[in-house]
Amino acid sequence: EDVATGSGGCNGSASGVVLGWHSRDKTKQYQLTMQRAAMALAVGFIACLALALAPQSYAHRIVMVPGPVEFTKNALRAAGGAALSHMDGSFINMFGETIEALREIFITRHGQPFVVAGSGTLAWDMFSSSLLEPGDNVLVLNTGYFGDRFAESIETFGANVTHLRVPVGDRPTTKQIVQALDAAPRPYKAITITHVDTSTGVLMDIRKIADVVRRRSPDTLIVVDGVCSVGGEELYFDDWRLDV
């Protein structure tokens, strides 16, 4: 689903959460963060309890969603092994190899991948808290439920959202995007695009959209949610001049 997804440690492994914000209204952010953390802990506890109580042998059911994903037996054996220190030489080498492999998946020579122990929601929050300031304007190309969810993250950190919505199952035209960019009183700080929205199955033409944005609003950050597309659809990070 993401560059990497981690969860609570049923087998003694650890999970990580990245928090960061600079909005003046930190109370709402803190409450939201605590709610998400509590939910993650609850889900992790229930999952661990279910595993502990379940029979040791069970029929494997293929997972066919954007995430969690299917793993090879080698990957499962590696995940179930002994923990390594992040300062261990072998871990450092493996982590470096992982970063380079991710560059191949995203087809980038210069982009910096981040291995995130969390879901796509955490990736949204990392973008919103790190690259946006309160009062910034963001254009959301909304093709379904996950456009709404991304917008909620952006608004939580104090930025203003403008939705470019279309009927369910449709996608914004180039003309509509140009009109939305030109109508803004000042350039948008960012434009967000859900490459494939799981709720509708709509596939966005990232290359065409990026070309339009670069011509009409060159300082606007192009942010792509690739949870449901990376590795399955074409996405050329460098060649299409994407930012996140």
Side-chain angles (χ1 to χ4, degrees):
E1 174 177 347
D2 299 304
V3 174
T5 300
S7 60
C10 293
N11 62 349
S13 62
S15 62
V17 177
V18 178
L19 305 177
W21 52 70
H22 42 234
S23 170
R24 295 181 181 86
D25 182 11
K26 295 186 177 180
T27 301
K28 183 179 179 181
Q29 298 166 12
Y30 177 80
Q31 291 173 342
L32 180 64
T33 300
M34 291 302 100
Q35 289 172 0
R36 288 175 177 168
M39 184 178 295
L41 288 173
V43 171
F45 174 77
I46 293 171
C48 292
L49 183 61
L51 287 173
L53 297 178
Q56 293 301 308
S57 60
Y58 59 92
H60 175 72
R61 292 183 296 179
I62 296 177
V63 179
M64 300 183 68
V65 296
V69 297
E70 287 291 302
F71 291 96
T72 64
K73 291 182 178 179
N74 288 341
L76 290 174
R77 281 194 294 267
L84 284 175
S85 166
H86 62 289
M87 300 299 291
D88 187 285
S90 58
F91 175 83
I92 293 172
N93 291 334
M94 285 188 289
F95 191 80
E97 291 172 1
T98 300
I99 294 296
E100 291 305 317
L102 288 173
R103 285 197 172 100
E104 293 184 16
I105 293 174
F106 286 96
I107 313 180
T108 177
R109 297 174 300 279
H110 311 296
Q112 176 58 62
F114 291 88
V115 179
V116 180
S119 67
T121 303
L122 179 58
W124 291 337
D125 287 351
M126 289 173 65
F127 157 71
S128 300
S129 63
S130 301
L131 296 179
L132 297 179
E133 297 284 350
D136 282 342
N137 295 324
V138 179
L139 178 63
V140 174
L141 303 189
N142 195 320
T143 55
Y145 173 76
F146 290 95
D148 291 334
R149 287 290 311 280
F150 201 164
E152 289 176 7
S153 170
I154 293 168
E155 291 174 328
T156 297
F157 290 91
N160 305 312
V161 170
T162 298
H163 290 272
L164 177 52
R165 297 183 184 274
V166 291
V168 175
D170 204 351
R171 61 185 184 180
T173 64
T174 300
K175 181 178 179 180
Q176 289 173 315
I177 296 171
V178 169
Q179 290 174 340
L181 292 171
D182 291 347
R186 56 191 173 95
Y188 286 105
K189 177 66 173 291
I191 181 172
T192 70
I193 314 155
T194 307
H195 196 182
V196 175
D197 195 299
T198 317
S199 67
T200 59
V202 171
L203 171 65
M204 296 287 274
D205 190 336
I206 302 297
R207 182 178 184 175
K208 183 180 292 185
I209 295 171
D211 182 60
V212 168
V213 174
R214 289 297 175 224
R215 287 188 285 106
R216 309 296 294 208
S217 186
D219 293 329
T220 297
L221 297 174
I222 300 174
V223 184
V224 178
D225 176 350
V227 167
C228 193
S229 66
V230 171
E233 297 289 346
E234 284 190 334
L235 189 69
Y236 294 86
F237 191 88
D238 290 353
D239 292 348
W240 296 353
R241 294 185 293 170
L242 308 179
D243 294 297
V244 182

